[in-house]
Amino acid sequence: MIFISKNKVSIPISLCIIALILCISACSNNDSNGGDLSQSGEAYWKISSTVKSASGSSAIIITGTPGTIWNAEITEGTTWCSCSSNDLTLSSKSGEIKEGLNILYVYYNSNTSKEQRIAKISLQFADQAAKVFDLVQLSESQQNLPAFKLWAEIPAPKENTSYQYVTHYALLNDKTIRNYSICFDKTKKAALWVAYPIHSAYLGSVKRTDRWAFDPIIPQSYQADCTIRSYGGSYDRGHQLPSADRDATDEMNAQTFYMSNMTPQLNRLNQDMWAKLEAKVRANNCSDTLYVVTGAYFGAGATTTTDGAKNTVPVPTNYFKVLLRTKSGKTGKNIKDCSDSELISIGFWVDHKSYGNIEPPKSICTSVADIESKTGFTFFPQVSSSVKQQNNPSQWGIN
């Protein structure tokens, strides 16, 4: 028998070989079994769980450990929903996560009924519990109107054949909640106002999705086409509801990239003072909820630019924000049940120009009532006119 010696300790080389074989075997087994145990996956709708009434397809993005097996099955809605564009009876599909982009496409027929319908897609990774995705298809005439008299942030409606009112919903902790509502002007190819609540429930750590897309509820012909590239000139695709106000879930954030939430906004306004104003607004969120309406105003002398497809679109002359919340932030009351002394409000009227990379100045601060007179809209209809006369910038962290 051959021995090797080191530091006066002799070890049979045959035993070394056996130990090496056992180690390799153990490592191999660990790679196999441990790999299975560490396999995991995540999935989310690419854009939204809500689609229009016309036939089409939606996509679920799949991410996770390469090699992880996934199984998907349509458990409800199989009469109009499928996993294949060629075989409308195919209700299940399996796959393995690869490096790069992994997508599960879900195909659906037209909904010609007067009611929306819901399909359910169950998706399971390896030995993880299955996750169920709801796909909501709107009816032909459905618009998802805001709850005008219920939600504190919704302005009073105005009758105008050019206006379309829409609310977008999203899933949060397996519950469907409102994301935001808009008053979209088809002649301006933009929302005149976007109303939304800000609360810690809407804030998280999801990365900005940058999934520029058409709003599925508004006819595409009325929307600016900046899904691939921005507006012409020095204009950004300016959010009215900021992406950073909706980073609790991927779906919530993706919906902020709808074209209906965009306007052509000067890059040196959008990225500088306006961005700081958005951060200042977000910092005022509270347990009772902060209610916000952001809007675009097209006044005298409004100019035009082009969208990403070279179509002419109007450029706003001004932007505004109006804010409402309880003074303490922790009353536990609905807005309609609060006294005037318990509420605070403020407005911001912004010229469409570069202010420089500065903090929001007091010069843009005004009252909600003043912005009502400028725009013709009635904001926060649940509160008194005296509350809407307030203009106290320091109360909102603006000095």
Side-chain angles (χ1 to χ4, degrees):
M1 183 176 288
I2 301 175
F3 291 84
I4 59 173
S5 176
K6 185 178 181 181
N7 296 331
K8 298 182 181 180
V9 177
S10 296
I11 304 173
I13 195 167
S14 58
L15 292 180
C16 292
I17 294 172
I18 292 171
L20 180 61
I21 292 172
L22 290 173
C23 179
I24 293 173
S25 175
C27 289
S28 175
N29 287 337
N30 284 339
D31 285 345
S32 175
N33 296 333
D36 288 340
L37 291 173
S38 65
Q39 285 184 336
S40 62
E42 293 290 337
Y44 49 83
W45 287 110
K46 181 181 179 184
I47 301 296
S48 174
S49 58
T50 303
V51 297
K52 56 189 176 182
S53 61
S55 62
S57 66
S58 194
I60 295 176
I61 303 294
I62 295 173
T63 64
T65 307
T68 301
I69 301 299
W70 56 265
N71 296 282
E73 182 181 6
I74 300 172
T75 58
E76 292 183 27
T78 54
T79 57
W80 57 276
C81 217
S82 171
C83 293
S84 170
S85 59
N86 298 319
D87 183 1
L88 298 180
T89 65
L90 186 66
S91 60
S92 62
K93 193 169 185 178
S94 300
E96 178 182 314
I97 297 179
K98 307 289 186 183
E99 295 286 353
L101 190 62
N102 296 262
I103 300 178
L104 168 65
Y105 286 101
V106 180
Y107 301 88
Y108 47 86
N109 295 331
S110 298
N111 183 7
T112 57
S113 71
K114 295 181 180 180
E115 302 291 335
Q116 73 176 33
R117 55 190 182 183
I118 299 177
K120 292 186 179 294
I121 300 96
S122 175
L123 184 62
Q124 184 174 24
F125 295 98
D127 296 327
Q128 293 178 229
K131 182 177 181 180
V132 177
F133 293 82
D134 286 351
L135 179 66
V136 180
Q137 187 180 32
L138 304 175
S139 65
E140 285 185 306
S141 58
Q142 191 171 353
Q143 294 184 340
N144 272 15
L145 295 176
F148 287 105
K149 295 182 180 181
L150 180 62
W151 301 334
E153 76 274 12
I154 304 298
K158 288 178 65 176
E159 291 295 329
N160 190 311
T161 56
S162 297
Y163 294 175
Q164 182 173 345
Y165 295 99
V166 172
T167 293
H168 289 295
Y169 297 87
L171 286 176
L172 180 65
N173 298 325
D174 296 324
K175 293 183 179 180
T176 298
I177 65 170
R178 69 189 188 273
N179 196 1
Y180 63 95
S181 303
I182 65 174
C183 172
F184 188 84
D185 188 334
K186 299 172 185 176
T187 66
K188 300 293 191 292
K189 295 194 171 185
L192 299 183
W193 56 252
V194 179
Y196 48 96
I198 297 182
H199 186 274
S200 59
Y202 291 90
L203 305 175
S205 57
V206 168
K207 292 181 180 179
R208 177 183 165 107
T209 60
D210 284 312
R211 294 193 202 116
W212 311 95
F214 290 110
D215 190 315
I217 302 179
I218 297 171
Q220 187 172 312
S221 60
Y222 294 124
Q223 302 179 58
D225 186 353
C226 291
T227 54
I228 298 176
R229 59 186 63 85
S230 189
Y231 300 92
S234 300
Y235 295 105
D236 285 349
R237 292 172 283 196
H239 287 65
Q240 295 205 60
L241 165 58
S243 164
D245 285 359
R246 290 294 185 267
D247 55 7
T249 71
D250 188 274
E251 180 183 8
M252 279 185 180
N253 188 265
Q255 289 180 356
T256 70
F257 289 88
Y258 284 160
M259 291 297 102
S260 58
N261 189 42
M262 301 298 141
T263 68
Q265 190 172 47
L266 282 172
N267 51 20
R268 293 277 55 88
L269 174 61
N270 180 45
Q271 298 172 38
D272 296 334
M273 193 278 284
W274 184 258
K276 287 180 167 57
L277 176 59
E278 291 176 332
K280 189 73 71 174
V281 170
R282 192 161 45 251
N284 278 280
N285 84 83
C286 62
S287 297
D288 283 342
T289 302
L290 169 66
Y291 298 100
V292 184
V293 183
T294 298
Y297 181 74
F298 298 82
T303 58
T304 62
T305 185
T306 55
D307 64 13
K310 305 301 183 183
N311 303 306
T312 300
V313 292
V315 175
T317 55
N318 302 87
Y319 291 96
F320 65 85
K321 288 180 181 289
V322 290
L323 280 57
L324 174 71
R325 53 163 279 184
T326 58
K327 188 180 298 184
S328 71
K330 52 184 179 181
T331 65
K333 296 180 181 180
N334 291 323
I335 288 294
K336 61 182 177 60
D337 298 324
C338 292
S339 65
D340 287 0
S341 63
E342 292 178 296
L343 300 174
I344 56 174
S345 74
I346 195 170
F348 303 102
W349 185 258
V350 177
D351 293 331
H352 196 176
K353 67 178 185 180
S354 172
Y355 286 74
N357 193 16
I358 63 170
E359 291 295 323
K362 283 187 177 180
S363 61
I364 68 171
C365 298
T366 185
S367 66
V368 173
D370 178 53
I371 295 181
E372 286 183 328
S373 67
K374 284 179 165 67
T375 63
F377 287 109
T378 300
F379 301 107
F380 310 128
Q382 294 183 7
V383 304
S384 70
S385 58
S386 62
V387 171
K388 293 191 278 189
Q389 294 288 346
Q390 298 177 18
N391 179 11
N392 188 347
S394 61
Q395 214 168 23
W396 299 87
I398 295 178
N399 303 306

